[in-house]
Amino acid sequence: MSVRPGAEPYSHDGPRKGSGKGATGVVLAHGFTGSPRSMTPWGQHLAAAGYTVRVPRLPGHGTTWQEMNRTRWQDWYAAVDAAFRELDEKCDRVFVGGLSMGGALVTRLAEEHGPRVRGLMLVNPAYKVEDARLRALPALQAVLPSLPGIGNDIKKPGQDEVCYDRIPLKALWSQTKLWATVVRDLPEVTQPVLLWHSTDDHVVPASSSALLLSRISSTDVTEKVLHDSYHVATLDHDAPRIFGESVEFIERLS
């Protein structure tokens, strides 16, 4: 299956472990029905700062929504887990960051890998959605393949995260299982957390970030509010701020 132009994964190699330069790695995960395009500018900024960066393309993304309907959350997690394990071998320390569902995936990394994850950077992370239609999802996904999409919730004109215009319902049903798994184990998160959330997000409610903050065990937590971006803030007006503050966060903890 061919990958859509702009949806390719991004990779950059910086100093390696033992080089004497304090090698730092960062794994960034994109959101549900999105693509690496939403995270690549952030990854490029981190690469310019001297870090080794991986932005994997999650299985089923960046091709067709029909293909995505044949994937499940375990497939998406396996991709970010493989990227993390690679950088854990190459680098002295590894940070992880995620947008929307990507935030849930990297939170799962923190739950499973413990202190091997040096810090969490989350942009409008998704652990829940307040939509009454989700109650019908178990039955709906068995008879209806998709619904209209939710992508490109971006305030800044001219931006495109290379996403699907349909929501594949079997995949969405699986995402709800991811949420349940991650939320159950949130008390296992002890790493430093840098959280950004938008005041105007038309995809993920503010209660999702509140749920994270109420359940994690981390003591080093920084919450940032974005007033000039919608859901895909990594491509929006506040993107330069996110990029700069992420470098400050990484440098402080390195």
Side-chain angles (χ1 to χ4, degrees):
M1 184 80 59
S2 61
V3 177
R4 295 183 178 191
E8 301 86 359
Y10 175 77
S11 179
H12 173 82
D13 287 319
R16 295 179 66 89
K17 181 183 289 187
S19 65
K21 298 180 180 179
T24 297
V26 186
V27 177
L28 299 178
H30 66 78
F32 184 78
T33 74
S35 78
R37 173 71 187 94
S38 63
M39 307 300 275
T40 295
W42 188 4
Q44 291 170 333
H45 186 92
L46 296 172
Y51 310 142
T52 293
V53 180
R54 296 291 183 269
V55 184
R57 179 179 64 86
L58 303 181
H61 292 73
T63 55
T64 67
W65 67 262
Q66 292 91 341
E67 184 190 8
M68 187 179 171
N69 237 355
R70 295 190 285 271
T71 65
R72 299 295 179 264
W73 80 260
Q74 292 88 347
D75 303 315
W76 314 328
Y77 180 70
V80 297
D81 186 61
F84 173 80
R85 290 175 185 272
E86 179 205 356
L87 296 197
D88 191 43
E89 289 292 322
K90 290 182 174 182
C91 302
D92 296 303
R93 64 194 71 84
V94 183
F95 293 81
V96 297
L99 165 70
S100 195
M101 181 188 74
L105 292 172
V106 299
T107 301
R108 188 63 183 160
L109 287 177
E111 292 170 349
E112 294 214 316
H113 292 286
R116 289 165 63 192
V117 174
R118 183 64 64 94
L120 267 172
M121 303 180 293
L122 306 168
V123 181
N124 293 321
Y127 307 101
K128 61 180 288 190
V129 170
E130 295 172 352
D131 189 331
R133 293 176 296 178
L134 286 183
R135 290 197 291 268
L137 188 58
L140 200 59
Q141 58 89 27
V143 296
L144 191 66
S146 68
L147 287 174
I150 55 171
N152 277 327
D153 186 36
I154 306 171
K155 185 176 183 180
K156 185 178 180 180
Q159 300 299 305
D160 180 11
E161 63 169 327
V162 190
C163 59
Y164 297 144
D165 59 2
R166 305 291 297 180
I167 300 173
L169 292 189
K170 290 185 185 302
L172 178 60
W173 174 233
S174 185
Q175 185 185 196
T176 66
K177 305 294 183 62
L178 167 65
W179 295 340
T181 301
V182 173
V183 169
R184 179 196 67 202
D185 294 339
L186 281 177
E188 300 297 318
V189 176
T190 60
Q191 298 88 341
V193 173
L194 176 55
L195 166 69
W196 298 271
H197 60 89
S198 301
T199 52
D200 294 312
D201 186 331
H202 307 102
V203 178
V204 172
S207 59
S208 181
S209 290
L211 174 62
L212 169 83
L213 295 174
S214 70
R215 300 208 52 180
I216 59 176
S217 300
S218 306
T219 56
D220 183 346
V221 179
T222 305
E223 181 182 7
K224 304 276 189 175
V225 179
L226 306 175
H227 296 285
D228 200 23
S229 297
Y230 295 157
H231 183 62
V232 189
T234 50
L235 294 179
D236 219 322
H237 294 294
D238 290 305
R241 177 183 158 194
I242 293 170
F243 302 168
E245 289 174 350
S246 68
V247 171
E248 293 172 3
F249 177 74
I250 291 169
E251 292 299 306
R252 175 171 67 83
L253 295 170
S254 297

